[in-house]
Amino acid sequence: MAGMPNRLATATSPYLQQHRDNPVDWWPWGEEAFAEARRRDVPVLLSVGYAACHWCHVMAHESFEDADTARRMNEGFVNVKVDREERPDVDAIYMSVTQALTGHGGWPMTVFLTPDGRPFYAGTYFPPRPSPGLPSFTQVLTAIGDAWRGQRTELEAAGGRIAAALAGRGLPVASGAAADEELAALVAAAVRALADDEDAEHGGFGAAPKFPPSMDLEFLIRHAAAGDGASTAQTRASAGEMAGRTLRAMARSGMYDQLGGGFARYAVDRSWTVPHFEKMLYDNALLARVYLHWWRLTGEPTGARVALETCDWMVAALGTADGGFASSLDADTPLRAPDGSVRGVEGFTYVWTPGQLAEVLGADDGAWAADLLQVSRQGSFEHGTSTLRLARDVWASAEAER
């Protein structure tokens, strides 16, 4: 396949087009790929990602563009590439598998399936060389191939168990007063579970990496506003306070673009300092709504400001000439090297040094901005650069002074 486009050459997805020249013999998702796996009697290697995903690009450069790795993939597997934005249904199914098997999820997502589509092993990014706690991608390919040939019955049985477990995850359906009471109790229990998992110091839930918990926040705000028969005023107040802590923390964080508006996909650390810089339409649409609902419930000025800024950013940055919206902005900025080659640099246009701020704003205003936005000589990102994080809410201060 080297030197010529693969089966993705005719795909309409920009993400699949990014892989059209890989030496990997990629198949698009469909029955033809699984029929080929049955014909060859080999597993399916499913790789799911999206166009703006930084680590998807990294794994592509390290593994999918490498001739030896591609040869191993082509010889031992039928390789299927999926754009999660084109096929959210496929992504949702196999992300559930990945989270169940590994305890976490993310992209690129790598899942190994039997020829009838039953998953038996899953992970996310695999490096080209082993690292502590993480095998190399070629080690994974070798181990899966050996197991398929030597432990086929066990792998197929594992795939059957996983499929059965996922099929049984639906909630029971009921109606009437008893069902209303059961639902109310579940809602109250959900509020308590979120409280147990809250990072009260930095906002959000759980540890790093942290994704913006849009639907959890929407749930907490609605519960705070209306409650239910099983909740108390204290429970409703707790829900509202939890939502507020996370929404304030995200609004002042490095994950929010303090200059242009809009949220990055997620933060790699507990304090929301360093994001992966891709920006997604669906994240920002959900977050604009939840910040608006927070403002409607509480009158919090930050809610109105962030909702408006986020909507303005989506229209300006993602709006297309034909009246639609692009789905994302890439994390990497393409830069041309002295030798003429082009490489992507993550976050290049989002991070600053004190000197850069002084150059743009002048010495006095640059120093004020560096203090306000926590831009230091040491830096909070790479090579002495810093993400922009609000040390205090100057908009709220200005409102108070009126």
Side-chain angles (χ1 to χ4, degrees):
M1 297 294 294
M4 60 180 292
N6 56 41
R7 289 179 182 81
L8 304 184
T10 58
T12 56
S13 157
Y15 175 66
L16 298 188
Q17 283 289 332
Q18 290 174 354
H19 294 271
R20 58 174 286 164
D21 295 317
N22 292 167
V24 177
D25 186 14
W26 289 117
W27 291 71
W29 176 267
E31 174 53 31
E32 289 183 357
F34 289 93
E36 176 68 6
R38 290 191 293 270
R39 185 188 71 79
R40 290 178 52 196
D41 197 29
V42 296
V44 171
L45 192 167
L46 173 65
S47 177
V48 183
Y50 56 99
C53 170
H54 172 71
W55 284 103
C56 298
H57 297 322
V58 171
M59 190 167 177
H61 295 321
E62 293 173 343
S63 296
F64 304 150
E65 295 174 7
D66 178 71
D68 182 62
T69 303
R71 177 185 58 78
R72 293 169 184 256
M73 294 172 67
N74 295 339
E75 289 177 356
F77 306 89
V78 169
N79 305 290
V80 176
K81 177 58 79 172
V82 167
D83 180 353
R84 68 177 295 262
E85 294 176 327
E86 183 179 49
R87 291 302 303 264
D89 54 336
V90 174
D91 176 68
I93 291 168
Y94 291 106
M95 183 56 71
S96 296
V97 172
T98 302
Q99 291 173 327
L101 291 178
T102 68
H104 64 273
W107 299 273
M109 176 168 58
T110 309
V111 186
F112 293 87
L113 319 172
T114 64
D116 61 358
R118 295 176 183 269
F120 59 84
Y121 185 82
T124 52
Y125 164 79
F126 291 105
R129 289 170 293 280
S131 60
L134 195 61
S136 72
F137 188 48
T138 54
Q139 285 178 322
V140 172
L141 295 176
T142 300
I144 295 296
D146 290 345
W148 183 255
R149 290 184 292 272
Q151 300 170 277
R152 173 79 169 266
T153 302
E154 291 90 333
L155 290 186
E156 291 181 333
R161 289 193 298 271
I162 292 167
L166 291 173
R169 282 190 171 185
L171 290 174
V173 178
S175 60
D180 291 342
E181 291 180 7
E182 182 179 356
L183 178 60
L186 283 172
V187 168
V191 173
R192 292 193 297 271
L194 287 171
D196 290 340
D197 198 37
E198 185 193 14
D199 181 347
E201 180 181 0
H202 298 291
F205 305 96
K210 281 185 175 176
F211 288 77
S214 307
M215 301 312 295
D216 289 341
L217 296 170
E218 188 72 42
F219 161 73
L220 289 171
I221 288 171
R222 291 187 182 190
H223 185 76
D228 53 58
S231 67
T232 64
Q234 183 177 2
T235 303
R236 293 194 294 273
S238 173
E241 289 164 4
M242 269 194 287
R245 281 190 289 270
T246 293
L247 289 163
R248 288 188 189 91
M250 291 196 305
R252 294 172 63 166
S253 76
M255 197 181 69
Y256 183 66
D257 187 345
Q258 304 296 340
L259 292 183
F263 288 86
R265 181 74 181 98
Y266 67 97
V268 302
D269 57 280
R270 228 186 110 200
S271 61
W272 310 95
T273 298
V274 177
H276 271 309
F277 294 89
E278 62 262 32
K279 288 175 162 182
M280 317 304 292
L281 174 65
Y282 52 82
D283 282 332
N284 283 281
L286 291 170
L287 286 164
R289 182 178 70 171
V290 78
Y291 273 93
L292 174 64
H293 290 170
W294 181 42
W295 169 74
R296 289 179 62 187
L297 175 65
T298 66
E300 171 65 51
T302 299
R305 175 177 67 82
V306 172
L308 287 170
E309 289 176 357
T310 301
C311 288
D312 285 344
W313 172 81
M314 285 189 286
V315 171
L318 298 181
T320 63
D322 56 4
F325 286 89
S327 62
S328 60
L329 283 184
D330 204 314
D332 296 349
T333 300
L335 296 180
R336 189 173 297 279
D339 63 1
S341 63
V342 177
R343 65 186 182 94
V345 178
E346 187 188 11
F348 182 78
T349 55
Y350 296 102
V351 293
W352 293 77
T353 65
Q356 288 171 333
L357 289 176
E359 182 180 350
V360 172
L361 300 173
D364 291 342
D365 286 344
W368 175 84
D371 174 66
L372 174 68
L373 296 168
Q374 303 184 67
V375 177
S376 66
R377 290 183 178 179
Q378 296 79 17
S380 59
F381 184 52
E382 297 173 348
H383 312 300
T385 62
S386 297
T387 59
L388 303 184
R389 295 167 292 142
L390 276 180
R392 55 194 178 276
D393 195 334
V394 292
W395 290 270
S397 301
E399 284 290 325
E401 291 172 1
R402 288 183 181 179

